Coordinates of all heavy atoms in Angstrom, one line a residue:
M1 N -18.6 -8.8 7.0 CA -17.7 -8.0 6.1 C -16.8 -9.0 5.4 O -16.2 -9.8 5.9 CB -16.8 -7.1 7.0 CG -15.7 -6.4 6.2 SD -15.1 -4.9 7.0 CE -14.2 -5.6 8.4
H2 N -16.8 -8.9 4.1 CA -16.1 -9.9 3.2 C -14.7 -9.4 2.8 O -13.9 -10.3 2.6 CB -17.0 -10.2 2.0 CG -18.3 -10.8 2.3 ND1 -18.4 -12.1 2.9 CD2 -19.5 -10.3 2.3 CE1 -19.7 -12.3 3.1 NE2 -20.4 -11.2 2.7
E3 N -14.6 -8.1 2.7 CA -13.3 -7.7 2.2 C -12.3 -7.7 3.3 O -12.6 -7.5 4.5 CB -13.4 -6.3 1.5 CG -13.8 -5.3 2.5 CD -14.1 -3.9 1.8 OE1 -13.9 -3.8 0.6 OE2 -14.6 -3.0 2.5
N4 N -11.0 -7.9 3.0 CA -10.0 -7.8 4.0 C -8.7 -7.2 3.3 O -8.8 -6.9 2.1 CB -9.6 -9.1 4.6 CG -9.2 -10.2 3.6 OD1 -8.5 -9.9 2.6 ND2 -9.7 -11.4 3.7
G5 N -7.7 -6.9 4.0 CA -6.5 -6.3 3.5 C -5.9 -7.0 2.3 O -5.5 -6.4 1.3
A6 N -5.9 -8.3 2.4 CA -5.2 -9.1 1.3 C -6.0 -9.0 0.0 O -5.4 -8.9 -1.0 CB -5.1 -10.6 1.7
E7 N -7.4 -9.0 0.2 CA -8.2 -8.8 -1.0 C -8.0 -7.5 -1.7 O -7.9 -7.4 -2.9 CB -9.7 -9.0 -0.7 CG -10.1 -10.5 -0.8 CD -11.5 -10.7 -0.2 OE1 -12.3 -9.8 -0.3 OE2 -11.6 -11.8 0.4
L8 N -8.0 -6.5 -0.8 CA -7.9 -5.1 -1.3 C -6.5 -5.0 -2.0 O -6.3 -4.3 -3.0 CB -8.0 -4.1 -0.2 CG -9.4 -3.8 0.4 CD1 -9.3 -3.0 1.6 CD2 -10.3 -3.2 -0.6
A9 N -5.5 -5.6 -1.4 CA -4.1 -5.5 -1.9 C -3.9 -6.2 -3.2 O -2.9 -5.9 -3.9 CB -3.2 -6.0 -0.8
S10 N -4.8 -7.1 -3.6 CA -4.6 -7.8 -4.9 C -4.7 -6.8 -6.0 O -4.2 -7.0 -7.1 CB -5.6 -8.9 -5.0 OG -6.9 -8.4 -5.1
A11 N -5.4 -5.6 -5.8 CA -5.4 -4.6 -6.8 C -4.1 -3.9 -7.0 O -3.9 -3.1 -7.9 CB -6.5 -3.6 -6.5
C12 N -3.1 -4.1 -6.1 CA -1.9 -3.4 -6.1 C -0.7 -4.2 -6.7 O 0.3 -3.7 -7.0 CB -1.5 -2.9 -4.7 SG -2.9 -2.4 -3.7
T13 N -1.0 -5.6 -6.8 CA 0.1 -6.5 -7.2 C 0.7 -6.2 -8.5 O 1.9 -6.4 -8.7 CB -0.3 -8.0 -7.1 OG1 -1.6 -8.1 -7.6 CG2 -0.2 -8.5 -5.7
A14 N -0.1 -5.8 -9.5 CA 0.4 -5.6 -10.9 C 1.6 -4.7 -10.9 O 2.6 -4.9 -11.6 CB -0.7 -5.1 -11.8
C15 N 1.6 -3.7 -10.0 CA 2.7 -2.7 -10.0 C 3.6 -2.9 -8.8 O 4.8 -2.7 -8.9 CB 2.1 -1.3 -10.0 SG 1.1 -0.9 -11.4
H16 N 3.0 -3.2 -7.6 CA 3.8 -3.3 -6.4 C 4.3 -4.7 -6.1 O 5.0 -4.8 -5.1 CB 3.0 -2.7 -5.2 CG 2.9 -1.2 -5.3 ND1 3.9 -0.3 -5.0 CD2 1.8 -0.4 -5.7 CE1 3.5 1.0 -5.2 NE2 2.2 0.9 -5.6
G17 N 3.9 -5.7 -6.9 CA 4.4 -7.0 -6.6 C 3.6 -7.8 -5.6 O 2.8 -7.2 -4.9
T18 N 3.7 -9.1 -5.6 CA 3.0 -9.9 -4.7 C 3.4 -9.6 -3.3 O 4.6 -9.6 -3.0 CB 3.2 -11.4 -5.0 OG1 2.9 -11.7 -6.4 CG2 2.4 -12.3 -4.1
G19 N 2.4 -9.4 -2.4 CA 2.7 -9.1 -1.0 C 3.5 -7.8 -0.9 O 4.1 -7.5 0.2
G20 N 3.4 -6.9 -1.9 CA 4.1 -5.6 -1.9 C 5.6 -5.7 -2.1 O 6.3 -4.7 -1.8
Q21 N 6.1 -6.8 -2.5 CA 7.5 -6.9 -2.8 C 7.7 -6.7 -4.3 O 7.6 -7.5 -5.1 CB 8.0 -8.4 -2.5 CG 8.1 -8.6 -1.0 CD 8.7 -9.9 -0.7 OE1 9.5 -10.5 -1.5 NE2 8.5 -10.5 0.5
S22 N 8.0 -5.4 -4.6 CA 8.2 -5.0 -6.0 C 9.4 -5.6 -6.6 O 10.5 -5.7 -6.0 CB 8.2 -3.5 -6.0 OG 8.5 -3.1 -7.4
Q23 N 9.2 -6.0 -7.9 CA 10.4 -6.5 -8.7 C 10.9 -5.5 -9.6 O 11.9 -5.7 -10.3 CB 9.9 -7.7 -9.5 CG 9.2 -8.8 -8.8 CD 10.1 -9.5 -7.7 OE1 11.2 -9.8 -8.0 NE2 9.6 -9.6 -6.5
G24 N 10.3 -4.4 -9.7 CA 10.6 -3.4 -10.7 C 10.9 -2.0 -10.1 O 11.4 -1.9 -9.0
A25 N 10.6 -1.0 -10.9 CA 10.9 0.4 -10.5 C 9.9 1.0 -9.5 O 10.2 1.9 -8.8 CB 10.9 1.3 -11.7
V26 N 8.7 0.4 -9.4 CA 7.7 0.9 -8.5 C 8.1 0.5 -7.0 O 8.6 -0.6 -6.8 CB 6.3 0.2 -8.8 CG1 5.3 0.6 -7.8 CG2 5.9 0.6 -10.2
P27 N 8.0 1.4 -6.1 CA 8.5 1.1 -4.7 C 7.7 -0.1 -4.1 O 6.6 -0.3 -4.3 CB 8.2 2.4 -3.9 CG 7.3 3.2 -4.8 CD 7.5 2.8 -6.2
S28 N 8.5 -0.8 -3.3 CA 7.9 -1.9 -2.5 C 7.0 -1.4 -1.4 O 7.3 -0.3 -0.9 CB 9.0 -2.8 -1.9 OG 9.5 -3.7 -2.9
L29 N 6.0 -2.1 -1.1 CA 5.1 -1.7 0.1 C 5.3 -2.6 1.2 O 4.9 -2.3 2.4 CB 3.6 -1.7 -0.4 CG 3.3 -0.8 -1.6 CD1 1.8 -1.0 -2.0 CD2 3.6 0.6 -1.3
A30 N 5.9 -3.8 1.0 CA 6.1 -4.7 2.1 C 6.9 -4.1 3.3 O 7.9 -3.5 3.0 CB 6.8 -6.0 1.6
G31 N 6.3 -4.3 4.5 CA 7.1 -3.8 5.6 C 7.0 -2.3 5.9 O 7.6 -1.8 6.8
M32 N 6.2 -1.6 5.1 CA 6.1 -0.2 5.2 C 5.4 0.1 6.5 O 4.4 -0.5 6.8 CB 5.4 0.4 4.1 CG 5.5 1.9 3.9 SD 4.8 2.3 2.2 CE 5.0 4.1 2.3
K33 N 5.8 1.0 7.3 CA 5.1 1.4 8.5 C 3.7 1.9 8.2 O 3.6 2.7 7.3 CB 5.9 2.5 9.3 CG 7.1 1.9 10.0 CD 7.7 3.0 11.0 CE 8.8 2.4 11.8 NZ 10.1 2.3 11.0
A34 N 2.8 1.4 9.0 CA 1.3 1.7 8.7 C 1.1 3.3 8.7 O 0.4 3.8 7.8 CB 0.4 1.1 9.7
A35 N 1.7 4.0 9.6 CA 1.5 5.4 9.7 C 2.0 6.1 8.4 O 1.4 7.0 7.8 CB 2.2 6.0 10.9
R36 N 3.2 5.7 7.9 CA 3.8 6.3 6.7 C 2.9 5.9 5.5 O 2.7 6.7 4.6 CB 5.2 5.8 6.5 CG 5.8 6.3 5.3 CD 7.3 6.6 5.3 NE 7.8 7.0 4.0 CZ 8.2 6.2 3.1 NH1 8.3 4.9 3.3 NH2 8.5 6.6 1.9
F37 N 2.5 4.7 5.4 CA 1.6 4.2 4.3 C 0.4 5.1 4.2 O 0.1 5.6 3.2 CB 1.2 2.8 4.6 CG 0.3 2.2 3.5 CD1 0.8 1.5 2.5 CD2 -1.1 2.5 3.6 CE1 -0.1 1.0 1.5 CE2 -1.9 2.0 2.6 CZ -1.4 1.2 1.5
S38 N -0.3 5.3 5.4 CA -1.5 6.1 5.4 C -1.2 7.6 5.0 O -2.0 8.2 4.2 CB -2.2 6.1 6.8 OG -2.4 4.8 7.1
E39 N -0.1 8.1 5.4 CA 0.3 9.4 5.1 C 0.5 9.6 3.6 O 0.0 10.6 3.0 CB 1.7 9.7 5.8 CG 1.8 10.9 6.6 CD 3.1 10.9 7.3 OE1 4.2 11.1 6.6 OE2 3.1 10.7 8.5
R40 N 1.2 8.6 3.0 CA 1.4 8.7 1.5 C 0.1 8.6 0.8 O -0.1 9.3 -0.2 CB 2.3 7.5 1.1 CG 3.7 7.6 1.7 CD 4.5 8.8 1.2 NE 4.8 8.8 -0.2 CZ 4.6 9.9 -1.0 NH1 4.2 11.0 -0.5 NH2 5.0 9.8 -2.3
M41 N -0.8 7.7 1.2 CA -2.1 7.5 0.5 C -2.9 8.8 0.6 O -3.6 9.2 -0.4 CB -2.9 6.4 1.2 CG -2.3 5.0 0.9 SD -2.3 4.6 -0.9 CE -4.0 4.0 -1.1
Q42 N -2.9 9.5 1.8 CA -3.6 10.8 1.9 C -3.0 11.8 1.0 O -3.7 12.6 0.3 CB -3.6 11.3 3.3 CG -4.4 10.4 4.3 CD -5.8 10.2 4.0 OE1 -6.4 11.0 3.3 NE2 -6.4 9.1 4.4
A43 N -1.7 11.8 0.8 CA -1.0 12.8 -0.1 C -1.4 12.5 -1.5 O -1.7 13.4 -2.3 CB 0.5 12.7 0.1
F44 N -1.5 11.2 -1.9 CA -1.9 10.9 -3.3 C -3.3 11.3 -3.5 O -3.7 11.7 -4.6 CB -1.8 9.4 -3.5 CG -0.4 8.8 -3.4 CD1 -0.1 7.6 -2.8 CD2 0.7 9.5 -4.1 CE1 1.2 7.1 -2.8 CE2 2.0 9.0 -4.1 CZ 2.3 7.8 -3.4
K45 N -4.2 11.2 -2.5 CA -5.6 11.6 -2.7 C -5.7 13.1 -3.0 O -6.6 13.5 -3.6 CB -6.3 11.4 -1.4 CG -6.9 10.0 -1.2 CD -7.7 10.0 0.1 CE -8.4 8.6 0.3 NZ -9.8 8.7 0.5
T46 N -4.7 13.9 -2.5 CA -4.8 15.3 -2.7 C -3.9 15.7 -3.9 O -3.5 16.8 -4.0 CB -4.4 16.1 -1.4 OG1 -3.2 15.6 -1.0 CG2 -5.5 15.9 -0.4
G47 N -3.5 14.7 -4.7 CA -2.9 15.1 -6.0 C -1.4 14.8 -6.1 O -0.8 14.9 -7.2
D48 N -0.8 14.3 -5.1 CA 0.6 13.9 -5.1 C 0.8 12.7 -6.0 O -0.2 11.9 -6.2 CB 1.1 13.6 -3.7 CG 2.6 13.7 -3.6 OD1 3.3 14.2 -4.5 OD2 3.2 13.3 -2.5
G49 N 2.0 12.4 -6.6 CA 2.2 11.2 -7.4 C 1.9 11.4 -8.9 O 1.2 12.4 -9.3
T50 N 2.3 10.4 -9.7 CA 2.0 10.5 -11.1 C 0.9 9.5 -11.5 O 0.2 9.6 -12.4 CB 3.3 10.1 -11.9 OG1 3.8 8.8 -11.5 CG2 4.4 11.1 -11.7
I51 N 0.9 8.4 -10.7 CA -0.1 7.3 -11.0 C -1.0 7.1 -9.8 O -2.2 7.0 -9.9 CB 0.7 6.0 -11.2 CG1 1.6 6.2 -12.4 CG2 -0.2 4.8 -11.3 CD1 1.9 5.0 -13.3
M52 N -0.4 7.2 -8.6 CA -1.2 6.9 -7.4 C -2.3 8.0 -7.2 O -3.3 7.7 -6.5 CB -0.3 6.9 -6.1 CG 0.6 5.6 -6.1 SD -0.4 4.1 -6.2 CE -1.4 4.2 -4.7
N53 N -2.1 9.2 -7.7 CA -3.1 10.2 -7.6 C -4.4 9.8 -8.3 O -5.5 10.3 -8.0 CB -2.6 11.5 -8.1 CG -2.1 11.5 -9.5 OD1 -1.6 10.4 -9.9 ND2 -2.1 12.6 -10.2
R54 N -4.3 8.8 -9.2 CA -5.5 8.3 -9.9 C -6.1 7.1 -9.1 O -7.2 6.7 -9.4 CB -5.2 7.9 -11.3 CG -5.1 9.2 -12.2 CD -4.7 8.8 -13.6 NE -3.3 9.0 -13.8 CZ -2.6 8.5 -14.8 NH1 -3.3 7.8 -15.7 NH2 -1.3 8.7 -14.9
I55 N -5.3 6.4 -8.3 CA -5.7 5.2 -7.6 C -6.2 5.5 -6.2 O -7.3 5.0 -5.8 CB -4.5 4.2 -7.6 CG1 -4.2 3.8 -9.0 CG2 -4.9 3.0 -6.7 CD1 -3.0 2.9 -9.2
A56 N -5.5 6.3 -5.4 CA -5.8 6.5 -4.0 C -7.2 7.0 -3.8 O -7.8 6.6 -2.8 CB -4.7 7.4 -3.4
P57 N -7.7 7.9 -4.6 CA -9.1 8.4 -4.3 C -10.2 7.3 -4.3 O -11.2 7.6 -3.7 CB -9.3 9.4 -5.5 CG -8.0 9.9 -5.9 CD -7.1 8.6 -5.8
G58 N -9.9 6.2 -4.8 CA -10.9 5.1 -4.8 C -10.9 4.4 -3.4 O -11.8 3.5 -3.3
Y59 N -10.1 4.8 -2.5 CA -10.1 4.1 -1.2 C -10.4 5.0 -0.1 O -9.9 6.1 0.0 CB -8.7 3.5 -1.0 CG -8.4 2.4 -2.0 CD1 -7.9 2.7 -3.3 CD2 -8.7 1.1 -1.8 CE1 -7.7 1.7 -4.2 CE2 -8.5 0.1 -2.7 CZ -8.0 0.4 -4.0 OH -7.8 -0.5 -4.9
D60 N -11.4 4.6 0.8 CA -11.7 5.4 1.9 C -10.8 5.1 3.1 O -9.9 4.2 3.0 CB -13.2 5.3 2.3 CG -13.6 3.9 2.8 OD1 -12.7 3.1 3.3 OD2 -14.7 3.5 2.7
S61 N -10.9 5.9 4.2 CA -9.9 5.8 5.2 C -9.9 4.4 5.9 O -8.9 3.9 6.4 CB -10.1 6.9 6.3 OG -11.4 6.9 6.7
R62 N -11.1 3.7 5.9 CA -11.2 2.4 6.5 C -10.4 1.4 5.7 O -9.7 0.5 6.2 CB -12.7 2.0 6.6 CG -12.9 0.7 7.4 CD -14.4 0.3 7.4 NE -14.9 0.1 6.1 CZ -14.9 -1.0 5.5 NH1 -14.4 -2.1 6.1 NH2 -15.3 -1.2 4.2
E63 N -10.5 1.5 4.3 CA -9.8 0.6 3.4 C -8.3 0.9 3.5 O -7.5 0.0 3.4 CB -10.4 0.8 2.0 CG -11.8 0.3 1.9 CD -12.5 0.7 0.6 OE1 -12.2 1.8 0.1 OE2 -13.3 -0.1 0.1
I64 N -7.9 2.2 3.6 CA -6.5 2.5 3.7 C -5.9 1.9 4.9 O -4.8 1.4 4.9 CB -6.3 4.1 3.6 CG1 -6.6 4.6 2.2 CG2 -4.9 4.5 4.0 CD1 -6.6 6.1 2.0
D65 N -6.7 2.0 6.0 CA -6.3 1.4 7.2 C -6.0 -0.1 7.1 O -5.0 -0.7 7.6 CB -7.4 1.6 8.3 CG -6.9 1.6 9.7 OD1 -5.9 2.4 9.9 OD2 -7.3 0.8 10.5
M66 N -6.9 -0.8 6.4 CA -6.8 -2.3 6.2 C -5.5 -2.6 5.4 O -4.8 -3.5 5.6 CB -8.0 -2.9 5.6 CG -9.2 -2.9 6.5 SD -10.5 -4.0 5.8 CE -11.2 -3.0 4.6
L67 N -5.4 -1.8 4.3 CA -4.2 -1.9 3.4 C -2.9 -1.7 4.2 O -1.9 -2.4 4.1 CB -4.3 -1.0 2.2 CG -5.3 -1.4 1.2 CD1 -5.7 -0.2 0.3 CD2 -4.8 -2.5 0.3
A68 N -2.9 -0.6 5.0 CA -1.7 -0.2 5.8 C -1.3 -1.4 6.7 O -0.1 -1.7 6.8 CB -2.0 1.0 6.6
R69 N -2.3 -2.0 7.4 CA -2.0 -3.1 8.3 C -1.5 -4.3 7.5 O -0.6 -5.0 8.0 CB -3.2 -3.4 9.2 CG -3.2 -2.5 10.4 CD -4.3 -2.8 11.3 NE -5.6 -2.2 10.9 CZ -6.7 -2.8 10.8 NH1 -6.8 -4.1 11.1 NH2 -7.8 -2.2 10.4
Y70 N -2.1 -4.6 6.4 CA -1.7 -5.7 5.5 C -0.3 -5.6 5.1 O 0.6 -6.5 5.3 CB -2.6 -5.9 4.3 CG -2.1 -6.9 3.4 CD1 -2.3 -8.3 3.6 CD2 -1.4 -6.5 2.2 CE1 -1.9 -9.2 2.7 CE2 -0.9 -7.5 1.3 CZ -1.2 -8.8 1.6 OH -0.7 -9.8 0.7
F71 N 0.1 -4.4 4.5 CA 1.4 -4.3 4.0 C 2.5 -4.2 5.1 O 3.6 -4.7 4.9 CB 1.5 -3.1 3.0 CG 0.9 -3.3 1.7 CD1 -0.2 -2.6 1.3 CD2 1.4 -4.3 0.8 CE1 -0.8 -2.9 0.0 CE2 0.8 -4.6 -0.4 CZ -0.3 -3.8 -0.8
A72 N 2.1 -3.6 6.2 CA 3.1 -3.5 7.3 C 3.5 -4.9 7.8 O 4.6 -5.1 8.3 CB 2.5 -2.7 8.4
A73 N 2.5 -5.8 7.6 CA 2.8 -7.2 8.1 C 3.5 -8.1 7.1 O 3.9 -9.2 7.5 CB 1.4 -7.8 8.5
Q74 N 3.7 -7.6 5.9 CA 4.3 -8.4 4.9 C 5.9 -8.4 5.1 O 6.4 -7.3 5.4 CB 4.0 -7.9 3.5 CG 2.5 -8.0 3.2 CD 1.9 -9.3 3.5 OE1 2.4 -10.4 3.0 NE2 0.9 -9.4 4.4
P75 N 6.5 -9.6 4.9 CA 8.0 -9.6 5.0 C 8.6 -8.8 3.9 O 8.1 -8.9 2.8 CB 8.3 -11.1 5.0 CG 7.1 -11.7 4.3 CD 5.9 -10.9 4.6
T76 N 9.7 -8.2 4.1 CA 10.4 -7.5 3.1 C 11.3 -8.4 2.4 O 11.7 -9.5 2.9 CB 11.2 -6.3 3.7 OG1 12.1 -6.8 4.7 CG2 10.4 -5.2 4.2
A77 N 11.7 -8.1 1.1 CA 12.5 -9.0 0.3 C 13.9 -9.1 1.0 O 14.5 -10.2 1.0 CB 12.7 -8.4 -1.1
T78 N 14.4 -8.0 1.5 CA 15.7 -8.1 2.3 C 15.3 -8.3 3.7 O 14.9 -7.4 4.4 CB 16.4 -6.8 2.1 OG1 15.6 -5.7 2.4 CG2 17.0 -6.6 0.7
S79 N 15.4 -9.6 4.2 CA 14.8 -10.0 5.4 C 15.5 -9.2 6.6 O 15.0 -9.3 7.7 CB 15.0 -11.5 5.6 OG 16.3 -11.8 5.5
D80 N 16.6 -8.6 6.4 CA 17.2 -7.8 7.5 C 16.2 -6.8 8.1 O 16.3 -6.5 9.3 CB 18.4 -6.9 6.9 CG 19.5 -7.7 6.4 OD1 19.5 -9.0 6.6 OD2 20.5 -7.1 5.9
E81 N 15.4 -6.2 7.2 CA 14.5 -5.2 7.7 C 13.2 -5.7 8.2 O 12.3 -5.0 8.6 CB 14.3 -4.2 6.6 CG 15.5 -3.3 6.4 CD 15.4 -2.6 5.0 OE1 15.2 -3.2 4.0 OE2 15.6 -1.4 5.0
A82 N 13.0 -7.0 8.1 CA 11.7 -7.6 8.5 C 11.5 -7.4 10.0 O 12.4 -7.4 10.8 CB 11.6 -9.1 8.2
G83 N 10.3 -7.1 10.4 CA 10.0 -6.9 11.8 C 10.1 -5.5 12.2 O 9.8 -5.1 13.3
D84 N 10.6 -4.6 11.3 CA 10.7 -3.2 11.6 C 9.4 -2.5 11.4 O 9.1 -2.0 10.3 CB 11.8 -2.6 10.8 CG 11.9 -1.1 11.0 OD1 11.6 -0.6 12.1 OD2 12.3 -0.4 10.0
K85 N 8.5 -2.5 12.3 CA 7.2 -2.0 12.1 C 6.9 -0.8 13.0 O 7.0 -0.9 14.2 CB 6.1 -3.0 12.4 CG 6.2 -4.2 11.7 CD 4.8 -4.9 11.7 CE 4.9 -6.2 10.9 NZ 5.3 -7.4 11.7
Ligands
HEC101 C1 -0.5 1.2 -12.2 C2 0.5 0.9 -11.3 C3 0.2 1.0 -9.8 C4 -0.9 0.4 -9.1 C5 -1.9 -0.6 -9.6 C6 -0.7 0.8 -7.7 N1 0.4 1.6 -7.6 FE1 1.1 2.4 -5.8 N2 2.6 3.4 -6.8 C7 2.7 3.3 -8.2 C8 3.8 4.3 -8.5 C9 4.3 4.6 -9.9 C10 4.2 4.9 -7.3 C11 5.2 6.1 -7.1 C12 4.4 7.4 -6.9 C13 3.7 7.8 -8.1 O1 4.3 8.1 -9.2 O2 2.4 7.9 -8.1 C14 3.5 4.3 -6.2 C15 3.6 4.6 -4.9 C16 2.9 4.1 -3.9 C17 3.1 4.3 -2.5 C18 4.2 5.1 -1.8 C19 5.4 4.2 -1.6 C20 6.5 5.0 -1.0 O3 7.5 4.3 -0.6 O4 6.5 6.2 -1.0 C21 2.1 3.7 -1.8 C22 1.8 3.7 -0.3 C23 1.2 3.0 -2.8 N3 1.8 3.2 -4.0 C24 0.1 2.2 -2.5 C25 -0.6 1.5 -3.4 C26 -1.8 0.7 -3.1 C27 -2.3 0.5 -1.7 C28 -2.2 0.2 -4.3 C29 -3.4 -0.7 -4.5 C30 -4.7 -0.3 -3.9 C31 -1.4 0.6 -5.3 N4 -0.4 1.5 -4.8 C32 -1.5 0.3 -6.7 C33 2.1 2.6 -9.1 C34 0.9 1.8 -8.8

């Protein structure tokens, strides 16, 4: 298997920032709990969101799982919250 969470996540950097640390209005993904991440992705698949509803359907549950683990492991910009998984 060649793909991994980091590779999949490179498709998210344009909006969510490197390592999921957003610099702009889009929410950061770094340090997000894996369960919440997966929950949000499932909601987007069923039409929630303005932009993510067009992106999330491209990912199956195995890929969402890899992304969830990748982002949960990324340090947050405000290091106070790092390690809160
Ligand atoms: C074109 C810009 C764009 C790209 C690319 C993008 N996102 Fe998003 N993302 C958004 C926006 C905007 C929101 C806020 C919800 C909405 O309006 O859809 C969001 C919200 C989210 C949320 C919810 C965050 C929260 O705190 O509720 C998750 C999870 C997420 N995105 C995951 C991803 C993943 C994983 C990828 C890459 C596979 C990705 N996004 C790529 C724009 C983007």
Side-chain angles (χ1 to χ4, degrees):
M1 171 161 71
H2 299 290
E3 62 188 354
N4 60 40
E7 268 169 37
L8 289 170
S10 64
C12 323
T13 36
C15 297
H16 288 283
T18 305
Q21 289 187 22
S22 174
Q23 308 296 314
V26 177
S28 283
L29 302 177
M32 196 169 177
K33 287 193 172 71
R36 176 148 179 271
F37 179 97
S38 304
E39 231 173 70
R40 296 299 290 135
M41 290 296 279
Q42 293 304 334
F44 293 138
K45 275 186 180 234
T46 55
D48 202 10
T50 57
I51 298 213
M52 287 308 297
N53 54 333
R54 282 177 264 164
I55 294 173
Y59 295 86
D60 64 26
S61 53
R62 190 182 60 89
E63 291 166 327
I64 289 175
D65 206 55
M66 287 196 286
L67 285 162
R69 278 184 275 131
Y70 171 79
F71 284 117
Q74 299 309 302
T76 52
T78 50
S79 55
D80 291 359
E81 285 163 310
D84 175 28
K85 304 201 180 91

